[in-house]
Amino acid sequence: MNEAAVTLDGWYCLHDFRSMDWTAWKQLSSDEREQATNEFLTFLEKWEVTAGHKQGSHALYSIVGQKADFMLMLLRPTMEELNDIENAFNKTTFAEYTIPTYSYVSVVELSNYMAGKDSDPDNDPRIQARLKPELTEAPYVCFYPMNKKREGNDNWYMVPMDERRDMMRSHGLIGRSYAGKVKQIITGSVGFDDWEWGVTLFSDDVLQFKKLVYEMRFDEVSARYGEFGSFYVGTHLPKERLPQFLYI
Ligand code: 76R
């Protein structure tokens, strides 16, 4: 019997990680740098209009550590729009001074482990808001991809639905104890990218990421079945601070 959890899928998501080629950037005149910076700002302003029409959302974060200098997270109703944005961005002069370091393609996902029997997701505004999330301006972000293990006796995909539901209930309870401290967006990427889910966390307090992820490590679903990729942590980079971030 097919016991796949039924998923609700929302906006498509691209996490685009770039480093700056500071050496090349420094060779430009300050006028050229200003022009390239304005090109990026024009994109951000265009995306703000899209967000205003509730046709997507985006967020820009400066990444700490050598894995990247910044992360652009984009949400759109279709994969085509993400692809168009990516191509348009790559054609800018500004992009010539960036080095792609990582990207992640996924779709906002809610699974039905905890769904009530008579829920009607299409007409539930809370569910719709979670499927098409407006990215907040939280000061901190944490992103990592993950899998559920398929190894010997520890194969998530062979565990009966009831047992998975029990484990997800416990997972959700830990998560809920961080309500108001950490906001999570789970994006599904089976068939889209190299891991099964992307986890994007937002917080006002960067330490809460460590506390939440550590606590979950002791919970069965993470302890037994969680496999994790690289972690990225960053600080919010509002449009207004972009010129300063790029200033030489
Ligand atoms: O959607 C819900 O609120 C119902 C409960 C829930 C589900 C179904 C939930 C709650 N999550 C669900 C699904 Mn989650 N989540 C992660 C990670 O680092 C780790 O160990 C795991 C990474 C974190 C930090 C996190 C946080 N969750 C999932 C799934 C899909 C599983 C599947 O379909 O098999 C993954 C991969 C995953 C991973 N989770 C919550 C949180 C938080 C903070 C909550 C509470 C949300 C809230 O109630 O506001």
Side-chain angles (χ1 to χ4, degrees):
M1 185 180 131
N2 179 349
E3 288 198 302
V6 176
T7 60
L8 297 173
D9 302 282
W11 277 343
Y12 291 86
C13 183
L14 174 66
H15 291 77
D16 189 334
F17 293 87
R18 310 264 173 150
S19 280
M20 285 300 295
D21 183 347
W22 293 122
T23 310
W25 185 246
K26 278 192 233 168
Q27 312 286 314
L28 294 179
S29 69
S30 50
D31 275 359
E32 287 168 323
R33 275 196 298 268
E34 197 182 318
Q35 265 177 31
T37 305
N38 285 339
E39 239 183 333
F40 193 5
L41 286 172
T42 306
F43 270 76
L44 289 167
E45 279 157 13
K46 211 165 111 187
W47 298 337
E48 277 172 11
V49 175
T50 311
H53 292 123
K54 312 255 180 248
Q55 289 303 306
S57 193
H58 65 278
L60 181 61
Y61 281 83
S62 168
I63 298 296
V64 187
Q66 295 180 352
K67 289 174 190 147
D69 285 320
F70 67 86
M71 174 194 84
L72 191 54
M73 179 176 179
L74 283 157
L75 293 167
R76 286 293 181 274
T78 66
M79 193 75 101
E80 283 80 357
E81 285 160 281
L82 291 179
N83 202 4
D84 287 348
I85 290 173
E86 181 187 25
N87 287 332
F89 184 77
N90 281 333
K91 287 176 198 166
T92 61
T93 304
F94 176 75
E96 288 175 34
Y97 298 91
T98 68
I99 305 158
T101 53
Y102 191 56
S103 71
Y104 207 76
V105 179
S106 53
V107 62
V108 178
E109 178 187 294
L110 298 176
S111 56
N112 72 338
Y113 285 115
M114 296 301 131
K117 284 231 165 8
D118 354 278
S119 75
D120 173 14
D122 291 342
N123 292 307
D124 183 333
R126 275 180 319 166
I127 289 182
Q128 288 304 312
R130 289 186 64 190
L131 289 172
K132 300 167 186 176
E134 255 178 70
L135 298 179
T136 54
E137 309 228 310
Y140 302 102
V141 76
C142 170
F143 170 80
Y144 53 100
M146 68 173 288
N147 287 339
K148 293 273 173 77
K149 206 181 281 174
R150 275 181 285 131
E151 250 174 49
N153 288 328
D154 293 337
N155 186 333
W156 176 255
Y157 297 90
M158 298 288 283
V159 176
M161 183 54 155
D162 286 355
E163 290 175 36
R164 274 181 285 141
R165 185 178 289 117
D166 285 348
M167 285 188 263
M168 289 312 291
R169 185 172 297 122
S170 164
H171 166 84
L173 285 177
I174 295 180
R176 251 162 245 171
S177 72
Y178 285 80
K181 291 188 217 155
V182 177
K183 182 182 150 63
Q184 109 279 23
I185 297 180
I186 301 299
T187 53
S189 42
V190 172
F192 292 163
D193 217 318
D194 300 345
W195 296 79
E196 294 169 349
W197 289 276
V199 179
T200 313
L201 308 174
F202 297 93
S203 184
D204 292 344
D205 172 10
V206 73
L207 199 54
Q208 297 303 320
F209 297 144
K210 177 173 178 289
K211 289 185 185 297
L212 168 61
V213 174
Y214 183 66
E215 196 176 338
M216 282 191 173
R217 288 292 156 99
F218 289 91
D219 187 52
E220 190 170 6
V221 72
S222 297
R224 191 184 293 276
Y225 299 103
E227 286 179 337
F228 301 92
S230 288
F231 282 67
Y232 294 82
V233 67
T235 62
H236 188 227
L237 185 53
K239 190 183 68 183
E240 295 67 33
R241 271 198 22 233
L242 188 65
Q244 184 202 331
F245 174 80
L246 294 170
Y247 183 78
I248 297 296

PDB file of all heavy atoms in Angstrom, residues 136 138 140-142 144 174-185 199-213 216:
ATOM      1  N   THR A 136       9.687  37.389   5.915  1.00  0.00           N
ATOM      2  CA  THR A 136       9.770  38.490   6.863  1.00  0.00           C
ATOM      3  C   THR A 136      11.157  39.128   6.761  1.00  0.00           C
ATOM      4  O   THR A 136      12.020  38.626   6.063  1.00  0.00           O
ATOM      5  CB  THR A 136       9.583  37.969   8.303  1.00  0.00           C
ATOM      6  OG1 THR A 136      10.535  36.931   8.494  1.00  0.00           O
ATOM      7  CG2 THR A 136       8.183  37.440   8.522  1.00  0.00           C
ATOM      8  N   ALA A 138      13.291  39.222   9.099  1.00  0.00           N
ATOM      9  CA  ALA A 138      13.975  38.783  10.319  1.00  0.00           C
ATOM     10  C   ALA A 138      15.478  39.058  10.202  1.00  0.00           C
ATOM     11  O   ALA A 138      16.049  38.910   9.125  1.00  0.00           O
ATOM     12  CB  ALA A 138      13.730  37.295  10.530  1.00  0.00           C
ATOM     13  N   TYR A 140      17.985  37.360  11.139  1.00  0.00           N
ATOM     14  CA  TYR A 140      18.870  36.217  10.875  1.00  0.00           C
ATOM     15  C   TYR A 140      18.167  35.126  10.077  1.00  0.00           C
ATOM     16  O   TYR A 140      16.973  34.879  10.253  1.00  0.00           O
ATOM     17  CB  TYR A 140      19.372  35.605  12.190  1.00  0.00           C
ATOM     18  CG  TYR A 140      20.113  36.601  13.034  1.00  0.00           C
ATOM     19  CD1 TYR A 140      19.490  37.189  14.137  1.00  0.00           C
ATOM     20  CD2 TYR A 140      21.414  36.974  12.712  1.00  0.00           C
ATOM     21  CE1 TYR A 140      20.155  38.135  14.902  1.00  0.00           C
ATOM     22  CE2 TYR A 140      22.087  37.916  13.475  1.00  0.00           C
ATOM     23  CZ  TYR A 140      21.451  38.496  14.560  1.00  0.00           C
ATOM     24  OH  TYR A 140      22.108  39.435  15.307  1.00  0.00           O
ATOM     25  N   VAL A 141      18.971  34.441   9.259  1.00  0.00           N
ATOM     26  CA  VAL A 141      18.467  33.286   8.511  1.00  0.00           C
ATOM     27  C   VAL A 141      19.409  32.113   8.712  1.00  0.00           C
ATOM     28  O   VAL A 141      20.603  32.298   8.971  1.00  0.00           O
ATOM     29  CB  VAL A 141      18.349  33.611   6.996  1.00  0.00           C
ATOM     30  CG1 VAL A 141      19.714  33.615   6.301  1.00  0.00           C
ATOM     31  CG2 VAL A 141      17.418  32.655   6.276  1.00  0.00           C
ATOM     32  N   CYS A 142      18.851  30.902   8.623  1.00  0.00           N
ATOM     33  CA  CYS A 142      19.654  29.683   8.633  1.00  0.00           C
ATOM     34  C   CYS A 142      19.050  28.776   7.567  1.00  0.00           C
ATOM     35  O   CYS A 142      17.835  28.594   7.531  1.00  0.00           O
ATOM     36  CB  CYS A 142      19.557  29.030  10.011  1.00  0.00           C
ATOM     37  SG  CYS A 142      20.256  27.368  10.098  1.00  0.00           S
ATOM     38  N   TYR A 144      19.567  24.961   5.446  1.00  0.00           N
ATOM     39  CA  TYR A 144      20.290  23.708   5.178  1.00  0.00           C
ATOM     40  C   TYR A 144      19.373  22.723   4.484  1.00  0.00           C
ATOM     41  O   TYR A 144      18.159  22.724   4.707  1.00  0.00           O
ATOM     42  CB  TYR A 144      20.886  23.078   6.440  1.00  0.00           C
ATOM     43  CG  TYR A 144      19.921  22.865   7.601  1.00  0.00           C
ATOM     44  CD1 TYR A 144      19.354  21.608   7.839  1.00  0.00           C
ATOM     45  CD2 TYR A 144      19.600  23.900   8.473  1.00  0.00           C
ATOM     46  CE1 TYR A 144      18.503  21.403   8.925  1.00  0.00           C
ATOM     47  CE2 TYR A 144      18.752  23.704   9.547  1.00  0.00           C
ATOM     48  CZ  TYR A 144      18.206  22.457   9.760  1.00  0.00           C
ATOM     49  OH  TYR A 144      17.355  22.264  10.823  1.00  0.00           O
ATOM     50  N   ILE A 174       8.241  19.914  19.515  1.00  0.00           N
ATOM     51  CA  ILE A 174       9.500  20.645  19.775  1.00  0.00           C
ATOM     52  C   ILE A 174       9.465  21.947  18.979  1.00  0.00           C
ATOM     53  O   ILE A 174       9.751  23.019  19.511  1.00  0.00           O
ATOM     54  CB  ILE A 174      10.743  19.814  19.373  1.00  0.00           C
ATOM     55  CG1 ILE A 174      10.842  18.578  20.243  1.00  0.00           C
ATOM     56  CG2 ILE A 174      12.020  20.667  19.503  1.00  0.00           C
ATOM     57  CD1 ILE A 174      12.018  17.688  19.929  1.00  0.00           C
ATOM     58  N   GLY A 175       9.094  21.816  17.693  1.00  0.00           N
ATOM     59  CA  GLY A 175       9.045  23.010  16.852  1.00  0.00           C
ATOM     60  C   GLY A 175       8.164  24.084  17.449  1.00  0.00           C
ATOM     61  O   GLY A 175       8.537  25.249  17.527  1.00  0.00           O
ATOM     62  N   ARG A 176       7.003  23.654  17.944  1.00  0.00           N
ATOM     63  CA  ARG A 176       6.045  24.633  18.467  1.00  0.00           C
ATOM     64  C   ARG A 176       6.549  25.333  19.724  1.00  0.00           C
ATOM     65  O   ARG A 176       6.146  26.450  20.014  1.00  0.00           O
ATOM     66  CB  ARG A 176       4.705  23.962  18.743  1.00  0.00           C
ATOM     67  CG  ARG A 176       3.680  24.421  17.722  1.00  0.00           C
ATOM     68  CD  ARG A 176       2.484  23.545  17.625  1.00  0.00           C
ATOM     69  NE  ARG A 176       2.450  22.924  16.306  1.00  0.00           N
ATOM     70  CZ  ARG A 176       1.633  21.975  15.960  1.00  0.00           C
ATOM     71  NH1 ARG A 176       0.777  21.483  16.835  1.00  0.00           N
ATOM     72  NH2 ARG A 176       1.662  21.493  14.737  1.00  0.00           N
ATOM     73  N   SER A 177       7.428  24.639  20.463  1.00  0.00           N
ATOM     74  CA  SER A 177       7.962  25.299  21.670  1.00  0.00           C
ATOM     75  C   SER A 177       8.864  26.474  21.279  1.00  0.00           C
ATOM     76  O   SER A 177       9.257  27.260  22.135  1.00  0.00           O
ATOM     77  CB  SER A 177       8.683  24.293  22.571  1.00  0.00           C
ATOM     78  OG  SER A 177       9.894  23.908  21.992  1.00  0.00           O
ATOM     79  N   TYR A 178       9.206  26.593  20.003  1.00  0.00           N
ATOM     80  CA  TYR A 178       9.990  27.748  19.527  1.00  0.00           C
ATOM     81  C   TYR A 178       9.099  28.791  18.852  1.00  0.00           C
ATOM     82  O   TYR A 178       9.604  29.710  18.211  1.00  0.00           O
ATOM     83  CB  TYR A 178      11.104  27.281  18.574  1.00  0.00           C
ATOM     84  CG  TYR A 178      12.241  26.624  19.327  1.00  0.00           C
ATOM     85  CD1 TYR A 178      12.134  25.304  19.754  1.00  0.00           C
ATOM     86  CD2 TYR A 178      13.391  27.335  19.659  1.00  0.00           C
ATOM     87  CE1 TYR A 178      13.145  24.698  20.473  1.00  0.00           C
ATOM     88  CE2 TYR A 178      14.411  26.746  20.376  1.00  0.00           C
ATOM     89  CZ  TYR A 178      14.281  25.422  20.783  1.00  0.00           C
ATOM     90  OH  TYR A 178      15.292  24.852  21.498  1.00  0.00           O
ATOM     91  N   ALA A 179       7.788  28.618  18.996  1.00  0.00           N
ATOM     92  CA  ALA A 179       6.857  29.590  18.385  1.00  0.00           C
ATOM     93  C   ALA A 179       7.204  30.996  18.864  1.00  0.00           C
ATOM     94  O   ALA A 179       7.458  31.212  20.045  1.00  0.00           O
ATOM     95  CB  ALA A 179       5.417  29.239  18.771  1.00  0.00           C
ATOM     96  N   GLY A 180       7.239  31.918  17.935  1.00  0.00           N
ATOM     97  CA  GLY A 180       7.566  33.298  18.287  1.00  0.00           C
ATOM     98  C   GLY A 180       9.071  33.552  18.309  1.00  0.00           C
ATOM     99  O   GLY A 180       9.509  34.695  18.320  1.00  0.00           O
ATOM    100  N   LYS A 181       9.861  32.453  18.338  1.00  0.00           N
ATOM    101  CA  LYS A 181      11.321  32.640  18.352  1.00  0.00           C
ATOM    102  C   LYS A 181      11.934  32.282  17.004  1.00  0.00           C
ATOM    103  O   LYS A 181      12.878  32.912  16.551  1.00  0.00           O
ATOM    104  CB  LYS A 181      11.953  31.747  19.423  1.00  0.00           C
ATOM    105  CG  LYS A 181      11.622  32.171  20.826  1.00  0.00           C
ATOM    106  CD  LYS A 181      12.434  31.373  21.829  1.00  0.00           C
ATOM    107  CE  LYS A 181      11.622  31.073  23.062  1.00  0.00           C
ATOM    108  NZ  LYS A 181      12.088  29.896  23.764  1.00  0.00           N
ATOM    109  N   VAL A 182      11.406  31.195  16.376  1.00  0.00           N
ATOM    110  CA  VAL A 182      11.936  30.764  15.074  1.00  0.00           C
ATOM    111  C   VAL A 182      10.756  30.520  14.144  1.00  0.00           C
ATOM    112  O   VAL A 182       9.782  29.861  14.529  1.00  0.00           O
ATOM    113  CB  VAL A 182      12.760  29.454  15.202  1.00  0.00           C
ATOM    114  CG1 VAL A 182      13.233  28.982  13.836  1.00  0.00           C
ATOM    115  CG2 VAL A 182      13.959  29.646  16.132  1.00  0.00           C
ATOM    116  N   LYS A 183      10.862  31.043  12.935  1.00  0.00           N
ATOM    117  CA  LYS A 183       9.849  30.753  11.909  1.00  0.00           C
ATOM    118  C   LYS A 183      10.519  29.837  10.899  1.00  0.00           C
ATOM    119  O   LYS A 183      11.653  30.111  10.456  1.00  0.00           O
ATOM    120  CB  LYS A 183       9.431  32.062  11.247  1.00  0.00           C
ATOM    121  CG  LYS A 183       8.351  31.890  10.194  1.00  0.00           C
ATOM    122  CD  LYS A 183       8.037  33.255   9.549  1.00  0.00           C
ATOM    123  CE  LYS A 183       7.579  33.128   8.120  1.00  0.00           C
ATOM    124  NZ  LYS A 183       6.360  32.427   7.880  1.00  0.00           N
ATOM    125  N   GLN A 184       9.849  28.734  10.566  1.00  0.00           N
ATOM    126  CA  GLN A 184      10.470  27.795   9.623  1.00  0.00           C
ATOM    127  C   GLN A 184       9.678  27.723   8.333  1.00  0.00           C
ATOM    128  O   GLN A 184       8.451  27.850   8.336  1.00  0.00           O
ATOM    129  CB  GLN A 184      10.608  26.409  10.280  1.00  0.00           C
ATOM    130  CG  GLN A 184       9.702  25.307   9.782  1.00  0.00           C
ATOM    131  CD  GLN A 184       8.304  25.363  10.372  1.00  0.00           C
ATOM    132  OE1 GLN A 184       7.830  26.408  10.826  1.00  0.00           O
ATOM    133  NE2 GLN A 184       7.622  24.241  10.338  1.00  0.00           N
ATOM    134  N   ILE A 185      10.400  27.563   7.225  1.00  0.00           N
ATOM    135  CA  ILE A 185       9.732  27.265   5.950  1.00  0.00           C
ATOM    136  C   ILE A 185      10.357  25.978   5.442  1.00  0.00           C
ATOM    137  O   ILE A 185      11.574  25.911   5.227  1.00  0.00           O
ATOM    138  CB  ILE A 185       9.909  28.402   4.928  1.00  0.00           C
ATOM    139  CG1 ILE A 185       9.238  29.687   5.451  1.00  0.00           C
ATOM    140  CG2 ILE A 185       9.308  28.008   3.573  1.00  0.00           C
ATOM    141  CD1 ILE A 185       9.361  30.882   4.525  1.00  0.00           C
ATOM    142  N   VAL A 199      15.463  23.410   4.533  1.00  0.00           N
ATOM    143  CA  VAL A 199      14.950  23.972   5.778  1.00  0.00           C
ATOM    144  C   VAL A 199      15.438  25.419   5.845  1.00  0.00           C
ATOM    145  O   VAL A 199      16.646  25.664   5.787  1.00  0.00           O
ATOM    146  CB  VAL A 199      15.498  23.189   7.000  1.00  0.00           C
ATOM    147  CG1 VAL A 199      14.984  23.784   8.311  1.00  0.00           C
ATOM    148  CG2 VAL A 199      15.155  21.706   6.895  1.00  0.00           C
ATOM    149  N   THR A 200      14.510  26.366   5.894  1.00  0.00           N
ATOM    150  CA  THR A 200      14.912  27.772   6.028  1.00  0.00           C
ATOM    151  C   THR A 200      14.303  28.294   7.315  1.00  0.00           C
ATOM    152  O   THR A 200      13.091  28.210   7.517  1.00  0.00           O
ATOM    153  CB  THR A 200      14.417  28.626   4.839  1.00  0.00           C
ATOM    154  OG1 THR A 200      14.730  27.938   3.619  1.00  0.00           O
ATOM    155  CG2 THR A 200      15.096  29.984   4.823  1.00  0.00           C
ATOM    156  N   LEU A 201      15.151  28.759   8.197  1.00  0.00           N
ATOM    157  CA  LEU A 201      14.707  29.256   9.501  1.00  0.00           C
ATOM    158  C   LEU A 201      14.993  30.751   9.594  1.00  0.00           C
ATOM    159  O   LEU A 201      16.040  31.214   9.104  1.00  0.00           O
ATOM    160  CB  LEU A 201      15.461  28.532  10.629  1.00  0.00           C
ATOM    161  CG  LEU A 201      15.456  26.996  10.587  1.00  0.00           C
ATOM    162  CD1 LEU A 201      16.360  26.430  11.679  1.00  0.00           C
ATOM    163  CD2 LEU A 201      14.038  26.453  10.750  1.00  0.00           C
ATOM    164  N   PHE A 202      14.090  31.481  10.211  1.00  0.00           N
ATOM    165  CA  PHE A 202      14.266  32.914  10.422  1.00  0.00           C
ATOM    166  C   PHE A 202      14.127  33.205  11.917  1.00  0.00           C
ATOM    167  O   PHE A 202      13.286  32.580  12.582  1.00  0.00           O
ATOM    168  CB  PHE A 202      13.176  33.714   9.678  1.00  0.00           C
ATOM    169  CG  PHE A 202      13.226  33.547   8.185  1.00  0.00           C
ATOM    170  CD1 PHE A 202      12.460  32.569   7.561  1.00  0.00           C
ATOM    171  CD2 PHE A 202      14.045  34.356   7.411  1.00  0.00           C
ATOM    172  CE1 PHE A 202      12.508  32.399   6.174  1.00  0.00           C
ATOM    173  CE2 PHE A 202      14.090  34.199   6.029  1.00  0.00           C
ATOM    174  CZ  PHE A 202      13.336  33.223   5.415  1.00  0.00           C
ATOM    175  N   SER A 203      14.924  34.145  12.410  1.00  0.00           N
ATOM    176  CA  SER A 203      14.810  34.487  13.830  1.00  0.00           C
ATOM    177  C   SER A 203      15.325  35.894  14.108  1.00  0.00           C
ATOM    178  O   SER A 203      16.099  36.449  13.327  1.00  0.00           O
ATOM    179  CB  SER A 203      15.588  33.474  14.679  1.00  0.00           C
ATOM    180  OG  SER A 203      15.405  33.748  16.052  1.00  0.00           O
ATOM    181  N   ASP A 204      14.903  36.415  15.264  1.00  0.00           N
ATOM    182  CA  ASP A 204      15.452  37.692  15.748  1.00  0.00           C
ATOM    183  C   ASP A 204      16.712  37.445  16.550  1.00  0.00           C
ATOM    184  O   ASP A 204      17.418  38.386  16.910  1.00  0.00           O
ATOM    185  CB  ASP A 204      14.439  38.386  16.700  1.00  0.00           C
ATOM    186  CG  ASP A 204      13.207  38.852  15.950  1.00  0.00           C
ATOM    187  OD1 ASP A 204      13.254  38.920  14.704  1.00  0.00           O
ATOM    188  OD2 ASP A 204      12.189  39.133  16.618  1.00  0.00           O
ATOM    189  N   ASP A 205      16.941  36.164  16.909  1.00  0.00           N
ATOM    190  CA  ASP A 205      18.067  35.827  17.789  1.00  0.00           C
ATOM    191  C   ASP A 205      18.792  34.624  17.177  1.00  0.00           C
ATOM    192  O   ASP A 205      18.263  33.513  17.151  1.00  0.00           O
ATOM    193  CB  ASP A 205      17.494  35.485  19.182  1.00  0.00           C
ATOM    194  CG  ASP A 205      18.549  34.932  20.119  1.00  0.00           C
ATOM    195  OD1 ASP A 205      19.752  34.973  19.778  1.00  0.00           O
ATOM    196  OD2 ASP A 205      18.158  34.445  21.209  1.00  0.00           O
ATOM    197  N   VAL A 206      19.984  34.855  16.682  1.00  0.00           N
ATOM    198  CA  VAL A 206      20.701  33.814  15.931  1.00  0.00           C
ATOM    199  C   VAL A 206      20.937  32.552  16.768  1.00  0.00           C
ATOM    200  O   VAL A 206      20.968  31.436  16.233  1.00  0.00           O
ATOM    201  CB  VAL A 206      22.029  34.397  15.348  1.00  0.00           C
ATOM    202  CG1 VAL A 206      23.094  34.608  16.425  1.00  0.00           C
ATOM    203  CG2 VAL A 206      22.572  33.536  14.216  1.00  0.00           C
ATOM    204  N   LEU A 207      21.047  32.724  18.076  1.00  0.00           N
ATOM    205  CA  LEU A 207      21.329  31.569  18.945  1.00  0.00           C
ATOM    206  C   LEU A 207      20.182  30.556  18.957  1.00  0.00           C
ATOM    207  O   LEU A 207      20.391  29.376  19.225  1.00  0.00           O
ATOM    208  CB  LEU A 207      21.626  32.078  20.367  1.00  0.00           C
ATOM    209  CG  LEU A 207      22.356  31.133  21.320  1.00  0.00           C
ATOM    210  CD1 LEU A 207      23.652  30.608  20.728  1.00  0.00           C
ATOM    211  CD2 LEU A 207      22.604  31.833  22.651  1.00  0.00           C
ATOM    212  N   GLN A 208      18.967  31.040  18.649  1.00  0.00           N
ATOM    213  CA  GLN A 208      17.809  30.130  18.658  1.00  0.00           C
ATOM    214  C   GLN A 208      17.948  29.037  17.594  1.00  0.00           C
ATOM    215  O   GLN A 208      17.392  27.953  17.744  1.00  0.00           O
ATOM    216  CB  GLN A 208      16.497  30.899  18.468  1.00  0.00           C
ATOM    217  CG  GLN A 208      16.176  31.892  19.573  1.00  0.00           C
ATOM    218  CD  GLN A 208      16.131  31.244  20.950  1.00  0.00           C
ATOM    219  OE1 GLN A 208      15.629  30.129  21.112  1.00  0.00           O
ATOM    220  NE2 GLN A 208      16.671  31.937  21.932  1.00  0.00           N
ATOM    221  N   PHE A 209      18.681  29.304  16.507  1.00  0.00           N
ATOM    222  CA  PHE A 209      18.888  28.259  15.486  1.00  0.00           C
ATOM    223  C   PHE A 209      19.634  27.080  16.108  1.00  0.00           C
ATOM    224  O   PHE A 209      19.281  25.924  15.928  1.00  0.00           O
ATOM    225  CB  PHE A 209      19.709  28.791  14.299  1.00  0.00           C
ATOM    226  CG  PHE A 209      19.059  29.914  13.534  1.00  0.00           C
ATOM    227  CD1 PHE A 209      19.831  30.941  12.998  1.00  0.00           C
ATOM    228  CD2 PHE A 209      17.698  29.946  13.334  1.00  0.00           C
ATOM    229  CE1 PHE A 209      19.254  31.978  12.277  1.00  0.00           C
ATOM    230  CE2 PHE A 209      17.097  30.980  12.617  1.00  0.00           C
ATOM    231  CZ  PHE A 209      17.882  31.999  12.093  1.00  0.00           C
ATOM    232  N   LYS A 210      20.710  27.407  16.805  1.00  0.00           N
ATOM    233  CA  LYS A 210      21.526  26.352  17.430  1.00  0.00           C
ATOM    234  C   LYS A 210      20.688  25.585  18.452  1.00  0.00           C
ATOM    235  O   LYS A 210      20.704  24.353  18.477  1.00  0.00           O
ATOM    236  CB  LYS A 210      22.749  26.991  18.093  1.00  0.00           C
ATOM    237  CG  LYS A 210      23.641  26.012  18.834  1.00  0.00           C
ATOM    238  CD  LYS A 210      24.903  26.706  19.306  1.00  0.00           C
ATOM    239  CE  LYS A 210      25.806  25.790  20.089  1.00  0.00           C
ATOM    240  NZ  LYS A 210      25.294  25.430  21.416  1.00  0.00           N
ATOM    241  N   LYS A 211      19.928  26.303  19.253  1.00  0.00           N
ATOM    242  CA  LYS A 211      19.144  25.639  20.293  1.00  0.00           C
ATOM    243  C   LYS A 211      18.092  24.712  19.688  1.00  0.00           C
ATOM    244  O   LYS A 211      17.945  23.573  20.099  1.00  0.00           O
ATOM    245  CB  LYS A 211      18.468  26.676  21.200  1.00  0.00           C
ATOM    246  CG  LYS A 211      19.469  27.403  22.088  1.00  0.00           C
ATOM    247  CD  LYS A 211      18.760  28.342  23.058  1.00  0.00           C
ATOM    248  CE  LYS A 211      19.749  29.180  23.867  1.00  0.00           C
ATOM    249  NZ  LYS A 211      20.615  28.360  24.729  1.00  0.00           N
ATOM    250  N   LEU A 212      17.385  25.204  18.666  1.00  0.00           N
ATOM    251  CA  LEU A 212      16.325  24.406  18.037  1.00  0.00           C
ATOM    252  C   LEU A 212      16.909  23.189  17.320  1.00  0.00           C
ATOM    253  O   LEU A 212      16.450  22.056  17.516  1.00  0.00           O
ATOM    254  CB  LEU A 212      15.536  25.281  17.041  1.00  0.00           C
ATOM    255  CG  LEU A 212      14.592  24.563  16.084  1.00  0.00           C
ATOM    256  CD1 LEU A 212      13.508  23.802  16.831  1.00  0.00           C
ATOM    257  CD2 LEU A 212      13.932  25.545  15.121  1.00  0.00           C
ATOM    258  N   VAL A 213      17.934  23.397  16.506  1.00  0.00           N
ATOM    259  CA  VAL A 213      18.488  22.288  15.729  1.00  0.00           C
ATOM    260  C   VAL A 213      19.096  21.252  16.675  1.00  0.00           C
ATOM    261  O   VAL A 213      18.934  20.046  16.490  1.00  0.00           O
ATOM    262  CB  VAL A 213      19.506  22.805  14.678  1.00  0.00           C
ATOM    263  CG1 VAL A 213      20.183  21.642  13.964  1.00  0.00           C
ATOM    264  CG2 VAL A 213      18.807  23.711  13.659  1.00  0.00           C
ATOM    265  N   MET A 216      16.324  19.270  18.376  1.00  0.00           N
ATOM    266  CA  MET A 216      15.723  18.307  17.446  1.00  0.00           C
ATOM    267  C   MET A 216      16.634  17.108  17.192  1.00  0.00           C
ATOM    268  O   MET A 216      16.148  16.015  16.890  1.00  0.00           O
ATOM    269  CB  MET A 216      15.364  18.995  16.136  1.00  0.00           C
ATOM    270  CG  MET A 216      14.088  19.799  16.273  1.00  0.00           C
ATOM    271  SD  MET A 216      13.435  20.374  14.697  1.00  0.00           S
ATOM    272  CE  MET A 216      11.857  21.053  15.264  1.00  0.00           C
TER     273      MET A 216
END
